[in-house]
Amino acid sequence: MTSSTRTVPGSLDLRDRSRAFADLDRETFDVVVIGGGITGAGIARDAALRGLRVALVEARDIASGTSSRSSKMIHGGLRYLAQGDVGLVREAASERQVLRRIAPHLTRLSPFVMPGSRSMIAKVRAGLVAFERLGKVPRDERHRTLDATELLELEPTLAADRFSSGVVYPEFLTNDARLTVANIRSAVASGATVLTHAAATRITVGGNGRADGVEVAGTLPGEQLTARARTRLVVNAAGPWVDAVRALEAPDEPARLALTKGIHVVVPHRRLPVRDTVITLGPDKRPVFAVAAGPVTYLGTTDTFYTEPDEWPRIDASDVQYLFDAMARTFNGPPISPDDVVSLWSGVRPLIAPSEGSDAAPSELSRRDETWVGPAGVVSVAGGKLTAYRTMAERIVDDLVSDLGTGSLRCRTADVPLIGGDTDVGGLTEDLGGSLGEDAARLVQLWGSDASSIADDGGDVAAEVRFAVCHEGALRLEDVWIRRTARSWFTLEPVGTDLDVAAATMAGLLGWTPERQAAEVAACHTIHHDARRCLDELPEGAPAPVA
């Protein structure tokens, strides 16, 4: 039985576009959510679980903006303690345990190792103690200090002569795009209507001055489909595009966002063979990291102001050099060079703009979420952290239920597993290992219990693509390549033969012409090569400046 004929909970098949637009057009909803990132996905899931009639529309693909470009970490944000944001840290610390319960496949426990001087580590320990108390961290998952010998035993690639001490503490790694897809499919399983590649073009307003509908237009190549989703309330969760959607309601309202850019650089793991995650300091004393991720190690991240919410934010040579310099100060061996880079990604954070006249640095801007209600009643939300997306959604849906006077007051998102999360990760990995070998762990970490369906269908690239198209709403090659299968940034050949296999499989499922298939492959190559363009401006093997 193939993915296209199997019954799958929360299945999202958007291939029949005319029908999908017609379904959106004929219904009336309690809430229409604009934006298919983690914020919109979390709100849609919570609202649907509470019995509200929910629609979600997204201009591109699920998680196609910020929610697939993060550092892939579910963490407590220790540095926010230094900023005095105790509430944010407490929330993030406790949410790690919730996510671990509802999505065990997407919360991989990993040691984070931080080397430093004795005085620096003493300060870090003070923060960790406070963090562990706030988050009620289990005793067996608390930090421990390391001397120089213990530090090198954990991470032998560290520069032995530069660090006299260290600390190790558990954090969690995730796949942000997969977490978003799991929330979207969970919303669908609870009755939500989801339509991607459908941009909101107009917010309609009724005679009472309140928003009563969202007009959308298809954005796939050559598409001329439109629909109007009638609704009682509109939620704008468009991430970096929140201000653009706010302008559909009130063109003269001032902008509320400050965008900051973060980039990540991917190198072969053999080139930087960290065992888990190493946290170090950049030239400006910001935390940066190197994370082991199968065949690769990824380095991140930067934090600089960025002007526009570009779909693919520009990566500058200075961004890359910043990370190279941090790694050169931290690890033994020759410095990382442009020739070592497999791939890169960039994204922008939709943060709340500081008060006028503020000279706050990008890393000093608050990561707290904030909501505003526009003149036609549209609720806009921005800010927040990936780790705390669920509680952010809970607060917003609490208000929606109160305003609408319908739906359950009880939030269930902390108790009901996400799609794929109803499994014993270790047990399933072992069960599938007999037929899939080492690939079993990757499948289970990305799909959880749905990995069994993909394995039954062959467990190869084509099987992953069939599942993504038939059950996860993938409609373009980029959707699969970057966000469903994690092959774009976590393989050593991101534009190799697997990409061509994926394109051929999608062509058969979606009825693409040979020309359309070639265009989809070319678009992925363009994304990859545009990201690498900055490397031409860097000297090969450049040494890091002296600290």
Side-chain angles (χ1 to χ4, degrees):
M1 185 180 292
T2 67
S3 291
S4 59
T5 58
R6 183 178 286 105
T7 299
V8 174
S11 180
L12 180 63
D13 185 346
L14 296 175
R15 286 177 291 175
D16 189 340
R17 299 288 285 170
S18 296
R19 178 179 176 181
F21 275 79
D23 287 346
L24 187 73
D25 200 68
R26 74 166 57 96
E27 293 190 39
T28 298
F29 301 94
D30 293 314
V31 181
V32 170
V33 180
I34 301 173
I38 191 62
T39 301
I43 292 168
R45 177 193 177 223
D46 192 342
L49 272 171
R50 299 204 208 187
L52 298 180
R53 295 166 299 171
V54 181
L56 181 146
V57 295
E58 160 59 44
R60 288 166 289 275
D61 180 37
I62 298 166
S64 57
T66 305
S67 297
S68 57
R69 321 286 181 83
S70 78
S71 299
K72 325 295 182 189
M73 295 177 179
I74 299 293
H75 66 105
L78 283 176
R79 67 191 180 94
Y80 304 130
L81 275 178
Q83 298 173 0
D85 204 337
V86 175
L88 179 63
V89 174
R90 180 187 291 112
E91 181 178 67
S94 61
E95 277 302 292
R96 298 186 318 161
Q97 302 303 327
V98 173
L99 285 174
R100 191 178 188 181
R101 185 169 62 248
I102 65 173
H105 60 304
L106 293 171
T107 45
R108 179 164 62 92
L109 190 64
S110 173
F112 278 33
V113 178
M114 179 180 289
S117 64
R118 287 186 178 86
S119 60
M120 171 194 157
I121 295 303
K123 294 177 182 177
V124 172
R125 283 196 67 233
L128 281 166
V129 169
F131 167 76
E132 288 163 354
R133 288 175 179 168
L134 287 168
K136 300 179 181 178
V137 175
R139 185 172 296 277
D140 61 348
E141 294 181 8
R142 295 179 184 177
H143 76 280
R144 63 184 178 93
T145 54
L146 308 166
D147 61 25
T149 300
E150 292 170 322
L151 188 63
L152 288 177
E153 287 175 352
L154 280 181
E155 290 292 349
T157 58
L158 288 170
D161 58 341
R162 296 179 196 169
F163 305 110
S164 57
S165 185
V167 64
V168 58
Y169 57 97
E171 286 281 17
F172 297 89
L173 300 176
T174 191
N175 181 297
D176 50 4
R178 294 295 324 171
L179 182 62
T180 308
V181 170
N183 272 273
I184 290 283
R185 287 184 54 207
S186 296
V188 171
S190 295
T193 297
V194 173
L195 183 60
T196 63
H197 297 283
T201 57
R202 183 173 173 239
I203 294 174
T204 61
V205 178
N208 61 357
R210 304 281 292 179
D212 65 358
V214 177
E215 294 181 358
V216 298
T219 59
L220 290 177
E223 199 166 62
Q224 296 183 338
L225 294 168
T226 61
R228 176 173 177 252
R230 297 163 181 81
T231 185
R232 298 174 64 193
L233 280 175
V234 176
V235 175
N236 169 15
W241 294 272
V242 157
D243 280 335
V245 173
R246 288 177 62 237
L248 296 179
E249 177 193 19
D252 298 327
E253 288 286 305
R256 293 293 188 98
L257 298 190
L259 305 180
T260 71
K261 180 182 67 174
I263 75 132
H264 296 79
V265 175
V266 182
V267 300
H269 185 255
R270 62 178 179 273
R271 180 63 182 82
L272 189 59
V274 295
R275 290 180 174 174
D276 289 293
T277 297
V278 172
I279 307 291
T280 185
L281 296 178
D284 57 355
K285 308 305 181 185
R286 279 187 61 256
V288 294
F289 50 79
V291 184
V296 302
T297 298
Y298 67 93
L299 319 175
T301 181
T302 57
D303 202 353
T304 55
F305 284 117
Y306 200 73
T307 306
E308 297 295 329
D310 298 337
E311 186 173 355
W312 293 102
R314 181 189 67 255
I315 301 177
D316 299 314
S318 58
D319 298 330
V320 179
Q321 190 64 56
Y322 173 90
L323 296 178
F324 282 1
D325 290 347
M327 299 305 127
R329 292 189 182 94
T330 305
F331 295 100
N332 274 324
I336 300 291
S337 78
D339 288 341
D340 296 315
V341 176
V342 175
S343 55
L344 309 92
W345 78 81
S346 64
V348 293
R349 308 172 185 91
L351 305 179
I352 310 304
S355 57
E356 190 172 347
S358 169
D359 59 354
S363 60
E364 295 172 339
L365 296 187
S366 173
R367 266 52 176 178
R368 275 199 169 277
D369 59 279
E370 192 169 323
T371 59
W372 314 283
V373 179
V378 175
V379 178
S380 295
V381 56
K385 287 167 54 65
L386 174 68
T387 305
Y389 84 89
R390 192 201 63 79
T391 50
M392 176 169 56
E394 180 178 349
R395 290 191 295 270
I396 291 166
V397 177
D398 282 345
D399 290 341
L400 298 181
V401 168
S402 177
D403 289 348
L404 289 166
T406 188
S408 173
L409 293 174
R410 177 173 171 259
C411 175
R412 299 167 55 211
T413 56
D415 305 310
V416 179
L418 286 169
I419 290 289
D422 54 339
T423 189
D424 170 10
V425 172
L428 181 58
T429 302
E430 185 175 347
D431 290 345
L432 298 182
S435 58
L436 297 178
E438 294 182 358
D439 288 340
R442 174 183 167 275
L443 278 184
V444 174
Q445 286 176 6
L446 294 178
W447 279 277
S449 57
D450 281 332
S452 296
S453 296
I454 298 171
D456 290 345
D457 193 23
D460 56 3
V461 175
E464 293 176 14
V465 171
R466 283 190 288 270
F467 194 88
V469 171
C470 298
H471 303 297
E472 297 185 327
L475 294 171
R476 301 204 64 171
L477 183 57
E478 174 194 323
D479 301 350
V480 169
W481 177 63
I482 294 175
R483 291 175 286 277
R484 303 301 188 281
T485 68
R487 292 181 178 275
S488 57
W489 299 321
F490 296 99
T491 61
L492 294 174
E493 294 187 35
V495 287
T497 55
D498 284 349
L499 182 64
D500 296 321
V501 171
T505 306
M506 289 192 79
L509 293 167
L510 291 157
W512 289 346
T513 64
E515 293 77 16
R516 173 68 186 277
Q517 180 179 335
E520 291 287 331
V521 173
C524 290
H525 277 267
T526 297
I527 292 169
H528 176 71
H529 292 298
D530 281 355
R532 294 182 57 87
R533 190 167 293 158
C534 62
L535 301 177
D536 296 336
E537 303 173 28
L538 289 168
E540 295 184 10
V546 177

